[in-house]
Structures are given as C-alpha cells and as structure tokens.
Amino acid sequence: MSLHLIDIDSLDDEGIRALLDRAQALAAGAVPHRCTGTVANLFLEPSTRTRVSFELAARRLGLEVINLDADRSSTVKGESLRDTVQTLAALAVSAVVVRHHEDRAVAHLARDLPEQAPVLINAGAGRAAHPTQALLDAAVLESRGIVWPDARIALLGDLRHSRVARSDCRLFRRLGATDLRIAGPPELMPGEDELPGVRRCDSVDEAISDANVVICLRIQRERIGAAGYPDGSEFHAHWGLSLDRAARLAAGTWILHPGPVNRGVEIAPELVESPQSLILEQVRFGRHLRTAVFEQLLCDQEPERHHD
Ligand code: CP
C-alpha cells in the first residue's frame, strides 16, 4: 500500500487482497494487532457509520483517538485543510481520517503534504471516492460467497453524485467482476466517460434482471443543489427497489446499501431488514475493514512516523 489511502488505486492487488482477507478474518473472530499512535478523525461532512467505525477500529488496536468536527475545529476560522493536518502532525498525530465535501480535497492534501506528514485515510471525498466503503462492500460480498467473475452487480439510484459507486465499480473491476450495471434517472446518471466498463440500463428492471447483487444508493440531496430532486415517492416508483421489483429478484440475490438509508425512496422499508439484506452486515464489516486498514498502514510503520 502507498503511504496514504486516497482511493482504490492507492492499493496494489496484494494490498487489496490482504485487506479483504484480514477484514473477513477479524469478522470471524481473529484477534486484532496492537498498535501505538494517535488517530485524528477530521470529518468536515456528516457521518455516523464511517466515523464511529474508524473510532472503534482504532480503539480496539490500542490507538488513541481524537475527533474533530466541522463546526468545532479551527477550519471554521479559515484554517486550511493542509495547515490543520500540519497542526495535528505537530501534536504527534500518526494518522488523519478525512471526510470532505470536495472531490479532490484528500488527494490534493496528500500531494501537498511533506513526506513526514501523518498517514491520510480518505473517509469519503465529494462524489469522487470512498475507498473503505468499497473495500467493506467487497469483503461482505466475499463472505457471502460472491465469486467475482460470476458477480452480476446492479447499482441503482443517484449514480452521478455517488462516491460509493465510483469506488465500488473501480474495486469490483480490479477484483475480476465484468458484469456491472447501473440504472437511475437520466439527470442522476454519471457522465458517459465515468464508470468505464459499466453497462448503462434504461430501467431498474433491466439492471436487476438476473443480478446476484443489488446496491441501492441514496439521492445525494446535499450535492444536487437548489433545484433538488422530485419527491421521494415518485423516485421510488420509477427508480427505487420496490417490493414488486424485489419479488422478481433471483433467489439468493443480495441487497446492499452503504447508508444512510432513506426508507421508501431508494429502497422499500421492508427490504432493509429482509433476509436478503446485508445492510447491517456492511456496517458490522466497516469496523473490521477499518481495523485492517489501520493495521496495514500504522502497525508496521517506521517508529519515527509517530513523531514522539
Ligand atoms: N456509508 C457512509 O459513508 O455512511 P456515513 O455517512 O454514515 O458515514
């Protein structure tokens, strides 16, 4: 793995395999390593599952954790992201987990920081990347028997604004999946040159036909702007995973959603806790996958990275 985890392409194939295997081992009860150092969670956008799971992952490894929120850090007084991270480095922070609303914020930060800066981990950047979500999605699917060359994966909803879709598709293709389909309203589909190797479908029914994995995505209202998007029930009728559509899924098809879920919009409320749903399993794996990331990035590193 490179020094930082910015997107799936920060990882070589061996690093990806090590993380997926380790997350599944931890989920099955393996004992976490012990690490030393301090992790800062710098979340400049809201989060529940990513922030909490990074914190729990760090604590179980013996790492200290500090949490900085958008409205209580000095970023609100105009301090740049780079200066904030440099400040944390001077306070002997070993790793900074960053969530940011701008697509390239974490990548640019990694480029601009000096070599001895803390490790950066992207916890979701704009529409561009959410690598640990993709990794945990892949680990969950492998744990349920999905074999990548046989995967038929449909992603539904707001593809245009979804960092999860971008990282998922990139990772699933790296792992050997060749049958990826997307469906959503035309105004919420990505540009033609985005998501290469993915089949664009005109309807949900076309996308989910013989799929063995369906991933529902939330409408990213915070990124759509003032125009917003029509009514949730209208979206559900045309583009949601409704009960009727789910009834036509093949037996054994897994349903995923990265969360947070808007019940009755992108997915029927009853499907969230259905036997086919892996939504809470995704949350559970989030802690294990992020533990594996810390182990890989922090546990075997040079002592001087801790700055003490
Ligand atoms: N999936 C995800 O990133 O959820 P949070 O926004 O709650 O972290």
Side-chain angles (χ1 to χ4, degrees), residues 62-297:
L63 295 161
E64 291 189 50
V65 182
I66 54 173
N67 290 302
L68 296 99
D69 295 319
D71 55 349
R72 290 170 55 203
S73 76
S74 285
T75 57
V76 294
K77 294 185 270 187
E79 188 167 57
S80 71
L81 195 53
R82 183 180 188 280
D83 286 342
T84 299
V85 172
Q86 291 282 68
T87 300
L88 294 170
L91 292 166
V93 164
S94 332
V96 184
V97 180
V98 185
R99 171 166 289 195
H100 202 281
H101 61 277
E102 288 177 12
D103 290 4
R104 303 297 299 159
V106 189
H108 287 165
L109 185 60
R111 183 197 61 193
D112 295 343
L113 283 173
E115 209 167 294
Q116 283 307 305
V119 170
L120 293 179
I121 300 173
N122 184 351
R127 306 172 316 155
H130 196 347
T132 58
Q133 179 70 48
L135 289 160
L136 75 88
D137 289 350
V140 168
L141 289 172
E142 287 189 358
S143 77
R144 296 305 173 114
I146 290 292
V147 178
W148 296 106
D150 300 334
R152 298 177 300 280
I153 303 176
L155 297 101
L156 310 178
D158 181 0
L159 280 300
R160 179 182 292 270
H161 302 101
S162 176
R163 55 196 176 207
V164 175
R166 284 172 179 76
S167 290
D168 269 356
C169 290
R170 184 83 189 122
L171 177 60
F172 298 162
R173 279 165 49 82
R174 286 271 302 273
L175 289 166
T178 55
D179 188 345
L180 304 176
R181 313 99 178 253
I182 58 173
E187 60 273 42
L188 296 183
M189 288 289 269
E192 293 286 345
D193 55 344
E194 296 184 84
L195 301 182
V198 170
R199 178 155 64 91
R200 301 165 76 97
C201 299
D202 293 329
S203 69
V204 171
D205 284 326
E206 181 188 344
I208 66 175
S209 167
D210 82 351
N212 51 13
V213 177
V214 176
I215 301 177
C216 301
L217 299 167
R218 180 177 68 87
I219 303 175
Q220 306 266 307
R221 294 186 189 280
E222 67 274 28
R223 296 185 218 293
I224 290 175
Y229 188 80
D231 178 77
S233 55
E234 186 184 327
F235 179 92
H236 189 68
H238 288 95
W239 299 105
L241 187 63
S242 62
L243 286 177
D244 283 352
R245 293 187 179 112
R248 295 196 286 276
L249 292 174
T253 301
W254 297 114
I255 298 171
L256 281 75
H257 190 312
V261 172
N262 290 140
R263 291 174 183 244
V265 183
E266 61 269 10
I267 185 169
E270 298 85 347
L271 296 175
V272 175
E273 281 109 10
S274 68
Q276 290 169 284
S277 168
L278 296 178
I279 295 172
L280 287 179
E281 189 68 349
Q282 289 172 272
V283 177
R284 189 173 81 87
F285 262 72
R287 187 170 67 106
H288 300 304
L289 185 281
R290 288 165 181 132
T291 302
V293 166
F294 282 137
E295 286 182 344
Q296 199 175 109
L297 282 171

Side-chain angles (χ1 to χ4, degrees), residues 43 46-51 99 123 130 133 163-164 258-260:
F43 276 65
S47 168
T48 298
R49 64 223 83 219
T50 309
R51 196 188 67 77
R99 171 166 289 195
H130 196 347
Q133 179 70 48
R163 55 196 176 207
V164 175

Side-chain angles (χ1 to χ4, degrees), residues 2-69:
S2 72
L3 182 64
H4 308 296
L5 176 52
I6 306 304
D7 198 356
I8 294 305
D9 289 339
S10 306
L11 299 164
D12 58 19
D13 292 347
E14 191 182 335
I16 290 172
R17 177 47 43 211
L19 288 174
L20 299 184
D21 288 349
R22 183 65 179 154
Q24 290 172 81
L26 288 163
V31 178
H33 299 159
R34 297 298 293 174
C35 307
T36 56
T38 302
V39 171
N41 274 331
L42 178 59
F43 276 65
L44 303 177
E45 261 197 346
S47 168
T48 298
R49 64 223 83 219
T50 309
R51 196 188 67 77
V52 172
S53 60
F54 267 117
E55 179 165 354
L56 292 174
R59 290 195 191 286
R60 76 197 290 212
L61 292 165
L63 295 161
E64 291 189 50
V65 182
I66 54 173
N67 290 302
L68 296 99
D69 295 319

